Amino acid sequence: GAGVSQTPSNKVTEKGKYVELRCDPISGHTALYWYRQSLGQGPEFLIYFQGTGAADDSGLPNDRFFAVRPEGSVSTLKIQRTERGDSAVYLCASSSQGGGSPLHFGNGTRLTVT
Amino acid sequence: DAKTTQPPSMDCAEGRAANLPCNHSTISGNEYVYWYRQIHSQGPQYIIHGLKNNETNEMASLIITEDRKSSTLILPHATLRDTAVYYCIVRVTDRGSTLGRLYFGRGTQLTVWP
């Protein structure tokens, strides 16, 4: 079946601009996660949703970052007033409910802020 | 978050078993051990997970020590395509649920050579 889909695969933007990154999870998965990964580092947790609500947003670095999941399926990560330090690969993952259910990751969106 | 410790790099001859160690001495009784791998330019791929007992699937085996303070991922017959960064992760729980986030470290770069 279809896996986690992220669009766009690459995004180049200028410093100060606003960007939106989209994630389509695996159908039926109730939990959705956003991570970001800088070169040479492991993925860093940002936020996770259970259904429509953010169950844990403790990883969002500051208030320029925001994520929504209005219908409990597709999610959008929004970054305002982008900075060069925001350049990274943004990864999305989803999982089904139930003990120990693994996360399934997309291939990410590579964001470059110039 | 319970943290993990892995060697930064390992290598293995093609066709031989690859044994990747992980220390997680602060793991709690209800936390799972997960293994993921990441091939360049792709999202992390789920391999296997376990709580107390050893586990095996079509990709690998997971051996967890009786005190649960360490584990070993075994790829029984490594191929060139197994070259990747391997992450050992302890899953944080959310109010007793296992839907909590994964904490990634830097992982082990496994290189399989011909």
Side-chain angles (χ1 to χ4, degrees), chain B residues 21-87:
Chain B
C22 179
N23 286 322
H24 31 77
S25 58
T26 60
I27 192 171
S28 298
N30 59 351
E31 290 179 319
Y32 288 79
V33 178
Y34 284 75
W35 283 84
Y36 281 75
R37 72 180 183 185
Q38 189 172 26
I39 296 168
H40 183 60
S41 298
Q42 297 182 19
Q45 176 191 21
Y46 166 77
I47 301 173
I48 198 167
H49 73 283
L51 184 62
K52 295 180 181 178
N53 300 320
N54 298 337
E55 302 288 343
T56 295
N57 63 20
E58 65 279 3
M59 290 182 68
S61 295
L62 173 61
I63 308 298
I64 302 174
T65 58
E66 191 169 345
D67 63 7
R68 302 211 325 124
K69 293 185 177 182
S70 66
S71 60
T72 301
L73 179 75
I74 301 172
L75 308 178
H77 305 288
T79 71
L80 299 179
R81 286 177 294 182
D82 292 323
T83 292
V85 177
Y86 286 77
Y87 295 100

Side-chain angles (χ1 to χ4, degrees), chain A residues 31 33 35 37 40-43 45 48 50 55-56 58 91 95-107 110, chain B residues 32 34 36 38 40-46 49 87 91-95 97-107:
Chain A
Y33 305 75
Y35 283 76
Q37 186 171 25
Q41 306 291 321
F45 170 78
Y48 105 82
Q50 176 57 23
D56 182 353
S58 62
L91 295 162
S95 72
S96 60
Q97 196 164 7
S101 299
L103 276 63
H104 298 273
F105 283 83
N107 284 330
R110 181 174 298 278
Chain B
Y32 288 79
Y34 284 75
Y36 281 75
Q38 189 172 26
H40 183 60
S41 298
Q42 297 182 19
Q45 176 191 21
Y46 166 77
H49 73 283
Y87 295 100
R91 190 166 195 179
V92 176
T93 59
D94 175 24
R95 302 188 197 96
S97 158
T98 54
L99 291 177
R101 58 191 163 101
L102 301 176
Y103 173 83
F104 287 81
R106 290 197 176 190

